[in-house]
């Protein structure tokens, strides 16, 4: 099978409504890796995004039992990145909870699965910071503004993130990394500290806990 044959097989499999997710994962990943295709070309050929195809192919790295369980649950595409990065216990917990349909009406499937996996693994520092609300971001920006030592660009950045969170937009990994650096810097300069006297002790403690300080 050459690359053209592989691409045609991948497109046919991707578009099929009769194949299970398990069959699609196995067939597409085998064709993709056997002839050394690249993500961008293949994604363009089957009319999807590189990120979506990458997440799909990442599912093939899981063991057969996990692939079969995910296939049986057939969760939406938005959950593929989360599931592909989880271990067996995290995936089983998420899929089991999803089957119980215990999520709230206002919670997306991907958010629900994320929370279920976090309960098993425990949230990383970055994950905890990504869960700060828009209101909390605005409060941090307002607090930082009261300190002359804080760079105005820092306040502008925090307000920008707050606005994005208010609109329901998820933060990128780069934004979260920058946010972590900023909050660590604010903690170093005692802008954020334990036993805050500014009426925001709970928020300060939440940030410092996330930073593991």
């Amino acid at each position: 099978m050459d690359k053209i044959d592989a691409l045609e097989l991948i497109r046919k499999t991707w578009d099929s409504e009769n194949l299970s997710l398990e069959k699609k994962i196995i067939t597409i990943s085998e064709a993709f890796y056997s002839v050394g295709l690249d993500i961008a070309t293949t994604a363009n050929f089957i009319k999807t995004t590189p990120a979506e195809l990458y997440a799909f192919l990442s599912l093939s790295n899981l063991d057969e039992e996990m692939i079969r369980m995910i296939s049986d649950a057939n969760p939406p595409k938005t959950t593929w990145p989360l599931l592909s990065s989880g271990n067996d216990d995290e995936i089983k917990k998420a899929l089991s909870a999803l089957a119980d349909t215990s999520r709230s009406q206002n919670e997306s499937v991907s958010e629900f699965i994320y929370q279920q996996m976090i309960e098993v693994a425990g949230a990383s520092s970055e994950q905890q910071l990504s869960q700060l609300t828009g209101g909390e971001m605005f409060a941090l920006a307002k607090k930082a503004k009261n300190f002359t030592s804080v760079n105005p660009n820092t306040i502008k950045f925090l307000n920008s993130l707050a606005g994005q969170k208010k609109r329901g937009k998820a933060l990128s990994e780069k934004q979260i990394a920058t946010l972590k650096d900023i909050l660590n810097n604010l903690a170093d300069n005692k802008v954020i500290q334990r036993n805050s006297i500014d009426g925001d002790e709970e928020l300060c403690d939440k940030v410092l806990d996330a930073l593991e300080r």
Side-chain angles (χ1 to χ4, degrees), residues 113-127:
I113 283 185
Y114 171 81
Q115 292 301 329
Q116 296 301 318
M117 294 173 72
I118 287 301
E119 285 185 15
V120 176
S124 68
S125 177
E126 289 76 12
Q127 288 167 335

Side-chain angles (χ1 to χ4, degrees), residues 57-122:
L57 290 170
S58 295
L59 293 173
S60 68
N61 296 324
L62 301 173
D63 65 35
E64 293 180 1
E65 180 188 2
M66 291 300 103
I67 293 175
R68 189 170 300 113
M69 287 183 66
I70 293 171
S71 178
D72 290 342
N74 196 27
K77 297 176 181 179
T78 54
T79 67
W80 292 350
L82 291 170
L83 293 170
S84 65
S85 65
N87 61 38
D88 289 0
D89 289 339
E90 293 166 1
I91 294 171
K92 289 177 181 178
K93 173 72 162 55
L95 295 179
S96 176
L98 187 60
D100 292 337
T101 62
S102 56
R103 66 187 177 92
S104 69
Q105 292 183 342
N106 296 324
E107 188 176 29
S108 70
V109 177
S110 57
E111 289 172 335
F112 177 74
I113 283 185
Y114 171 81
Q115 292 301 329
Q116 296 301 318
M117 294 173 72
I118 287 301
E119 285 185 15
V120 176

Side-chain angles (χ1 to χ4, degrees), residues 2 4 20 80 119 135 138 142 149 159 210:
D2 60 22
I4 297 300
S20 67
W80 292 350
E119 285 185 15
F138 276 128
K142 183 178 179 181
S149 60
N159 278 322

Side-chain angles (χ1 to χ4, degrees), residues 11 14-15 40-50 52 77:
R11 178 164 61 183
W14 183 269
D15 292 338
T41 299
T42 308
N44 182 63
F45 193 80
I46 64 176
K47 295 180 172 56
T48 189
T49 64
E52 185 173 294
K77 297 176 181 179

